[in-house]
Amino acid sequence: MISNSDAVERILISESQINEAVRSLAKKIDDYYAGRQSRLLLLGILKGSVVFMGDLMKQVRIPVEIDFMKVSSYGSGTTGGSVNIILDLLRKDLSETDILIVEDIIDSGKTLSYLVNYLKLKGAKSVRTCTLLDKPERREVDFTADWTCFVIPNEFVVGYGLDYDEKYRALPYIGVLKREIYS
Ligand code: PRP
């Protein structure tokens, strides 16, 4: 059996780089949302965001609530309506809630551009986005997160929540997967 770390060709972003970026992002979130009367909801998109969410919520100093949504994309090449909601956000107080979507990665941009629109239409007071990783080379729809920790090249990355075939999510760093694993 190949161990998790044996599947990694090289570490792209180390644990300490991630920790520093998460602390820095938490400070920006504290500064941006300070003094608001509304509730701040950190909304993680399952499953990839869980590790990032767990670390980020511990670093943010202002009061936050958490929740999760799960969506699936129908794959590349599809256009409008390509995002399917599997687990929805069920809250009655959205008009008093500032939502910050917490994502692990932006590829095509379809998931976040759909969700931002969806949550605004549902009546959220505000909707902003943060992502650990951004792969702009893969973009299919125009979308930029409000806060991005790392812009990365178009390589197959795993770890810190990100998977290949549901594996490698538990690695504490972002690694480039060996080509032989997925080809
Ligand atoms: C990944 C990632 C984002 C989405 C980004 O989720 O976590 O939610 O894809 O892709 P996009 O910008 O092209 O829309 P995935 O569907 O792999 O599910 P997972 O988080 O459960 O691994």
Side-chain angles (χ1 to χ4, degrees):
M1 188 189 201
I2 301 174
S3 84
N4 271 351
S5 53
D6 284 349
V8 168
E9 180 186 290
R10 69 179 196 283
I11 294 175
L12 186 66
I13 307 169
S14 69
E15 214 175 333
S16 63
Q17 286 175 299
I18 293 171
N19 289 342
E20 196 183 319
V22 170
R23 274 197 300 274
S24 165
L25 172 59
K27 176 80 173 62
K28 288 176 189 158
I29 292 170
D30 282 340
D31 290 348
Y32 183 80
Y33 289 101
R36 295 203 179 201
Q37 300 307 313
S38 47
R39 307 163 75 147
L40 175 57
L41 177 68
L42 302 183
L43 179 63
I45 309 306
L46 296 171
K47 304 173 196 171
S49 70
V50 289
V51 184
F52 182 36
M53 173 72 127
D55 283 349
L56 184 63
M57 64 186 280
K58 287 184 288 185
Q59 295 295 331
V60 172
R61 295 284 166 256
I62 57 172
V64 294
E65 300 171 25
I66 64 163
D67 215 327
F68 294 91
M69 287 183 72
K70 185 167 173 56
V71 301
S72 74
S73 171
Y74 292 126
S76 63
T78 53
T79 49
S82 60
V83 173
N84 199 16
I85 295 179
I86 296 165
L87 175 66
D88 204 349
L89 177 64
L90 302 174
R91 283 177 73 115
K92 294 205 168 66
D93 60 349
L94 280 177
S95 63
E96 298 150 37
T97 304
D98 290 309
I99 296 178
L100 175 58
I101 302 178
V102 178
E103 258 292 23
D104 55 332
I105 188 164
I106 306 177
D107 281 328
S108 71
K110 286 181 184 174
T111 301
L112 278 186
S113 75
Y114 178 87
L115 280 176
V116 167
N117 205 27
Y118 176 77
L119 292 163
K120 282 182 178 168
L121 286 173
K122 253 172 112 82
K125 181 167 186 190
S126 71
V127 184
R128 301 211 167 257
T129 56
C130 66
T131 185
L132 181 75
L133 306 175
D134 186 357
K135 260 190 201 175
E137 287 169 58
R138 299 255 304 172
R139 204 65 99 249
E140 292 177 36
V141 298
D142 186 24
F143 187 87
T144 307
D146 294 290
W147 295 283
T148 298
C149 294
F150 300 97
V151 175
I152 61 167
N154 187 15
E155 296 195 87
F156 203 130
V157 289
V158 292
Y160 202 71
L162 286 93
D163 75 311
Y164 166 65
D165 194 22
E166 294 300 328
K167 295 189 277 282
Y168 316 116
R169 292 192 198 271
L171 289 170
Y173 50 78
I174 299 292
V176 176
L177 192 63
K178 284 181 180 164
R179 189 172 288 272
E180 69 218 47
I181 303 284
Y182 62 89
S183 59

